[in-house]
Amino acid sequence: MYCFKSSTIFAVLSLLSQALSSSSQEPLGIKDFHTPEPTAKWVHPGVLVSQPQLDFIRLKLAAEEEPWTGAYKAMLGSRLLSPLLEPTPFTNVVCGPFSKPNIGCTNETHDALAAYGNALAWAISGIETYALQSMRFMDAWSQTLQSHNCSNAPLQSGWAGSVWPRAGEIIRHATVGGQNAPWPPASIARFESMLRDVYLPLTARGSDYDSNWELGTLILIRIVCLIEVED
């Protein structure tokens, strides 16, 4: 089991996301990414970041501007983006209150974050090694995971299930130099099946709780619906 906190990578990704969002306010002739024209066709990726935003970040990094450069370096320095990190998939993830029991729960959350962080790193840097690492984590879990159990199963499904699709959408639909990542169709189909068959049933109807339970549920439903839309 991992011995570092997922809050670190969450904070870094949050900062990077804020930097991405602020791009729409820059007077560089780049259109407002958050206000698409009524007749415009929705284009992947678009759940959290868009292709123009990813391209914009490359420009900011090339100019070594902040906060983009600092956030990006912090993300790359996370242990979750280490090329030596191996996925640790579980067939049955069992999560109880206050992490008792914690059978695969932390592993699942961290592996989802590793997939997302590597996907962002590839989309921004163009280094294919990051894309391959992201795919390794998504493939490992989609080949293995069958269920979530115990009282916190819906919460765990919302947490991890809101991160996996962010990685999947970037790897499947973002482009670097006009090229997509080399994710095989069979792997894509298996990953989509995992989201639809393992995560969605536990979260689609919501819960009797509020706060992070419902937030995870709403994010998951939105992302699953968008990732399966064909261009």
Side-chain angles (χ1 to χ4, degrees):
M1 182 172 293
Y2 300 110
C3 59
F4 52 96
K5 295 182 178 180
S6 60
S7 58
T8 300
I9 191 68
F10 268 123
V12 171
L13 292 175
S14 176
L15 178 57
L16 185 58
S17 297
Q18 292 174 24
L20 286 163
S21 298
S22 67
S23 63
S24 63
Q25 302 173 6
E26 294 292 323
L28 296 179
I30 298 177
K31 67 180 295 185
D32 182 353
F33 306 121
H34 303 288
T35 311
E37 298 177 5
T39 58
K41 181 181 179 181
W42 191 83
V43 179
H44 288 281
V47 172
L48 188 63
V49 296
S50 66
Q51 185 68 53
Q53 285 176 308
L54 292 170
D55 296 338
F56 180 85
I57 289 298
R58 295 193 194 101
L59 296 177
K60 289 299 185 182
L61 293 177
E64 299 184 349
E65 294 188 31
E66 296 293 348
W68 300 274
T69 299
Y72 182 66
K73 288 181 178 179
M75 184 183 73
L76 294 184
S78 167
R79 292 179 62 184
L80 289 175
L81 267 70
S82 168
L84 302 179
L85 190 64
E86 295 288 337
T88 55
F90 281 68
T91 300
N92 181 28
V93 175
V94 183
C95 307
F98 304 102
S99 299
K100 296 180 181 180
N102 181 350
I103 303 175
C105 312
T106 302
N107 302 73
E108 180 184 28
T109 302
H110 284 164
D111 281 4
L113 286 167
Y116 180 37
N118 276 285
L120 277 173
W122 164 74
I124 294 171
S125 71
I127 299 175
E128 190 175 86
T129 302
Y130 289 121
L132 296 176
Q133 182 74 337
S134 179
M135 287 184 276
R136 285 184 65 231
F137 281 88
M138 290 188 286
D139 290 346
W141 278 87
S142 64
Q143 291 171 356
T144 306
L145 183 63
Q146 296 181 7
S147 64
H148 293 89
N149 286 287
C150 206
S151 60
N152 275 14
L155 177 61
Q156 176 68 20
S157 296
W159 279 355
S162 67
V163 179
W164 285 121
R166 305 183 193 197
E169 188 191 38
I170 290 174
I171 292 297
R172 181 179 179 184
H173 296 288
T175 60
V176 175
Q179 299 296 318
N180 294 103
W183 202 13
S187 295
I188 294 173
R190 186 171 55 242
F191 181 75
E192 289 182 345
S193 294
M194 178 184 73
L195 297 179
R196 183 174 53 249
D197 300 336
V198 179
Y199 289 96
L200 193 57
L202 284 175
T203 57
R205 295 184 179 180
S207 71
D208 295 328
Y209 302 94
D210 54 10
S211 187
N212 55 354
W213 288 67
E214 292 295 352
L215 178 61
T217 297
L218 293 173
I219 292 175
L220 171 62
I221 292 174
R222 180 185 179 205
I223 292 176
V224 169
C225 289
L226 291 180
I227 197 172
E228 294 185 346
V229 173
E230 292 295 333
D231 288 344

